[in-house]
Each structure stands twice: as C-alpha cells, then as structure tokens.
Amino acid sequence: MTTVLIKKATIIDKNSSFHNQTVDIKIENGIIIEIAKNIASENNIEVIEKENLHVSQGWFDSSVSFGEPGYEDRETIANGLQVAAKSGFTAIALQPNSFPVIDNQSQVKFVLDKAKNQATTLFPIGALTKNSEGTDLAELFDMKNAGAIAFGDYNKAIQDANIQKIALQYVQDFNGLVISFCQDYSLKGKGIVNEGIASTKLGLKGIPALAEELHIARNLFLLEYTGGKLHIPTISTQKSIQLIKEAKAKGLQVTCSVSVHHLVLNEEILSGFDSRYKVTPPLRDEVTRKALIEAVINGTIDCITSDHNPLDIEHKKLEFDLAKDGTIGLESAFGALLTVLPLEVVIEKLTAAKKIFEIEENKIEINTKAELSFFNPDGEEIFTKENILSKSKNSAFLQQKTKGKVYGIYNNKKLIINN
C-alpha cells in the first residue's frame, strides 16, 4: 500500500501549524504529502474515515516488557508490537528483563532483528549491570553501538552507590542515559504494599514511601556529583516529586515518568486481595494519586508510561504475597488516562519521552515522515477481557471505566486499524 488518505481528522499536535484543525491528510510512501480541508479520493487509495477521528504524533511508551527471549509464554516480540500498534503506540522502549537479560550487543541485535518490518518501532533498553544483578556494569558502549537507547535494570534498584556513580560517569563519554529505578531494599524489607492505613487494615507488610525517596535523594546527590543524564522511572510518592522538582531547579539533567496505574488507581482497590493490583512500586493512597496527577500537569513529571509487564497465570494468580509484581497496560493506557487528565495533556505526556530518549519526533506537517496515532477522545466503556490483546491477561484495569477509543496507527509505511 503506497497511498493513504485520512478524512476529516482533527489534529492534536501543539508543534504543528495545523493544531486543532479538522483536515484531510494524504500519505504517500510513508511521507505526508498534503494536508488540506478537502482532498479528493482517487482510485487505488486506502481511505480512512472514522467517527470523530483525531490524530496526533505517534505515541512512545518508555517502559514495556514482553518476555522474548526466554519467556515467550508471557509475550512474544511480534505479538507484543501488534498489541502496541492497536493500542496507539508507534514506538516502545523494550525493557531488558528477558531470559537471558539484554546485557550485551548480541542480545540487543536479537530483539532488533525480531522487531523488523513491524508498524511499531522497538527501541531496546540495555541492562545497566550484568544479568541485572547490580554488581558489575554491563557492556554499555557496545550495546549503545548496537542500538540500545538507554541503560537500566528493570524494577531493580542499584544498591551499591559506587556502581551508580561509575555508571553515570562512564556513559557521559558517549552521551548515554542511565535509568534508575529507586527503592532501598533494606527499608522495603518484606513489604508488598504501601505502608499506611490500608496495609494495617489488610494485615499486609508495608513498603514505606521513604524506601523510594531515600534512594532518589541518593541518586540525585550522585548525579550532582558526576553530571550526566538520569531518568527515574515510575515515581510514586509526594516527596519523590518534590526531590525531582528541586533537582531540576538546580539545573540537573534529571527526568522522570509515572505509570498509568499510579495515576488512576489507589491502594483502596487492594481490599479484595486481588493480585492483579500487586505492582512495583505499590499503589499509594488517594492524596498521593492526586499529587502525581498535579505533578503531571505542572510538568514536574515528564512523561507517562503504561509500564506494561505481561506475566503468566502461574506467577500472577496466587496468594497476594506470593504473586509476581506487574500489570499489562498498553491496551488500557489511553482510555484510562482520559478518565483523569485532559486530552492535550495525555497526548503530550505519551509523546514527551521521545525527547528524553533522543528519538526522532515527527510533527504533523507536509513533507515529514508519517508517524501517527488515531483515536476518538469521546465515549465511555468498561475495560473487559475482550479488550485484552496480549497473550497474558494480568490487567489491573479489568472492569475499570475508560474513555475514548484507539483506532490504530500509521508508521513505517504500515497502516494498522482496529476493526
């Protein structure tokens, strides 16, 4: 398919001269060749017409786990990228938590090879330490050359301050980005939920907010000492917001993300001991959830991630304290976010991570690469099993209200539209 005509699409792209205009968009060989009020359709053109069609720059998810290699029963790269495309994402950053861990250039090349010829582009994150064990730095420079866009151990915090320091110093030689999940394990102990009234009521061991905050404070001190660039994923406490805000005011190159589930859900949902809500970091209280939303709106939190983490039923459908942490999130991300944030903020925060990870941003203009997400921001539905496209079904959003509808994407000269 070479030519696609998108009819009556409202463009949501603050960087585009067509922002908030309803227009037709003509794409030829992956390039936007015309944007106008009415473009006539010709033979051999695929025409896309959808109810209340909106279009934005392609969305990028900065934290996605699949499984392959090693855990293909959870998710394969091919199906995972199809899920991402149908969920509106034109690009994803793949976490290194496969088996083996993506900690060398051959593993980076393997996942890139598996992701060829897909509509959604895969960008690998290399592990920061060998086997993500936190003791020795992995082959960072080699992985960068092979195509890794950043380095971090997924949901594992570097406990050794010196390793963290050396990593921040080392990657500066090639303008690398360090991703540091923050949690002090000695303070976390055997905790599995947020420490507070809910954990006491439920009789579950709590993880204090301090476990995250102390680690963030340490890493920001190290960043101030070393220089370089640091990305702190999935922050979840009020003090974390404050610490990052202060670090940015000092001029430190620090960015952060928050997960969709921390913006939409709170710890009160744990009352039924349903392990689908067991995530890392844990769901916090309602006051904190509102503070995270405020930090998204005021710009302290740079981007939003689905933190998509498929897990097989054997590891998830267990007693709460035995179940693995994690929820799938690609399919529900857009619809769940619209229940708590305005549309323009949602679009901005689903595209903002491109700048952080230095990925090309394709604004919606004539003669630019067509990398587009299609959606309808109106309407409501309940998220059910029928909405899940992933191989794994561990969604924290089952039976939750969502807003709007994702129609699909156009990227890499490929059109993916949901039925």
Side-chain angles (χ1 to χ4, degrees), residues 323-388:
K324 274 191 181 291
D325 297 1
T327 173
I328 56 171
L330 284 168
E331 300 97 318
S332 50
F334 178 72
L337 286 174
L338 275 186
T339 65
V340 293
L341 287 165
L343 174 64
E344 284 197 8
V345 176
V346 171
I347 300 302
E348 184 197 334
K349 296 300 178 181
L350 287 178
T351 53
K354 289 181 182 178
K355 198 176 250 93
I356 297 167
F357 289 84
E358 297 188 353
I359 290 162
E360 186 183 5
E361 297 174 84
N362 295 297
K363 58 185 177 183
I364 304 175
E365 296 286 359
I366 297 162
N367 293 328
T368 61
K369 182 192 168 189
E371 185 188 348
L372 307 169
S373 298
F374 305 123
F375 54 92
N376 175 355
D378 296 339
E380 284 186 2
E381 67 171 11
I382 299 296
F383 190 79
T384 65
K385 275 220 167 96
E386 283 66 54
N387 299 106
I388 295 178

Side-chain angles (χ1 to χ4, degrees), residues 94-273:
L94 180 71
Q95 290 288 0
N97 56 330
S98 49
F99 183 75
V101 167
I102 303 170
D103 66 358
N104 58 61
Q105 61 176 335
S106 63
Q107 289 298 328
V108 171
K109 285 173 180 168
F110 173 84
V111 295
L112 284 172
D113 200 49
K114 283 280 184 181
K116 274 182 183 158
N117 303 317
Q118 293 273 2
T120 297
T121 310
L122 181 150
F123 292 96
I125 296 169
L128 187 67
T129 62
K130 285 181 185 169
N131 210 26
S132 286
E133 286 171 353
T135 46
D136 299 296
L137 284 188
E139 299 167 9
L140 307 184
F141 184 60
D142 285 353
M143 286 194 284
K144 169 89 173 179
N145 288 340
I149 55 164
F151 310 99
D153 296 335
Y154 179 64
N155 276 358
K156 291 183 175 180
I158 304 290
Q159 302 300 303
D160 185 326
N162 194 46
I163 293 271
Q164 183 76 35
K165 175 180 80 88
I166 293 166
L168 284 165
Q169 289 170 324
Y170 177 61
V171 299
Q172 288 176 59
D173 289 345
F174 50 89
N175 192 32
L177 175 67
V178 172
I179 302 174
S180 288
F181 176 74
C182 290
Q183 196 169 63
D184 183 295
Y185 291 164
S186 59
L187 280 169
K188 179 197 176 205
K190 292 181 177 171
I192 51 173
V193 296
N194 179 47
E195 183 180 86
I197 294 169
S199 64
T200 308
K201 273 186 187 167
L202 297 169
L204 296 170
K205 287 193 170 72
I207 305 171
L210 182 66
E212 179 178 307
E213 296 154 1
L214 198 64
H215 215 75
I216 286 180
R218 184 205 78 172
N219 286 349
L220 291 173
F221 266 115
L222 289 169
L223 180 66
E224 195 170 358
Y225 178 80
T226 59
K229 294 186 298 184
L230 179 67
H231 179 68
I232 301 174
T234 58
I235 68 165
S236 70
T237 82
Q238 292 179 74
K239 185 74 177 169
S240 298
I241 297 165
Q242 192 56 38
L243 288 164
I244 289 165
K245 192 175 185 177
E246 288 164 7
K248 286 182 171 186
K250 279 184 188 172
L252 298 185
Q253 286 193 75
V254 61
T255 54
C256 65
S257 71
V258 65
S259 76
V260 177
H261 41 273
H262 283 96
L263 294 174
V264 179
L265 307 173
N266 67 30
E267 63 184 6
E268 285 159 32
I269 207 164
L270 301 175
S271 58
F273 296 94

Side-chain angles (χ1 to χ4, degrees), residues 42 61 78 84 166 180 314 335:
E42 304 152 34
D61 194 333
I166 293 166
S180 288
E314 288 83 0

Side-chain angles (χ1 to χ4, degrees), residues 71-90:
Y71 302 120
E72 287 84 354
D73 50 335
R74 296 178 185 177
E75 189 58 278
T76 60
I77 288 171
N79 188 63
L81 290 173
Q82 276 287 321
V83 173
K86 290 181 172 181
S87 305
F89 293 90
T90 57

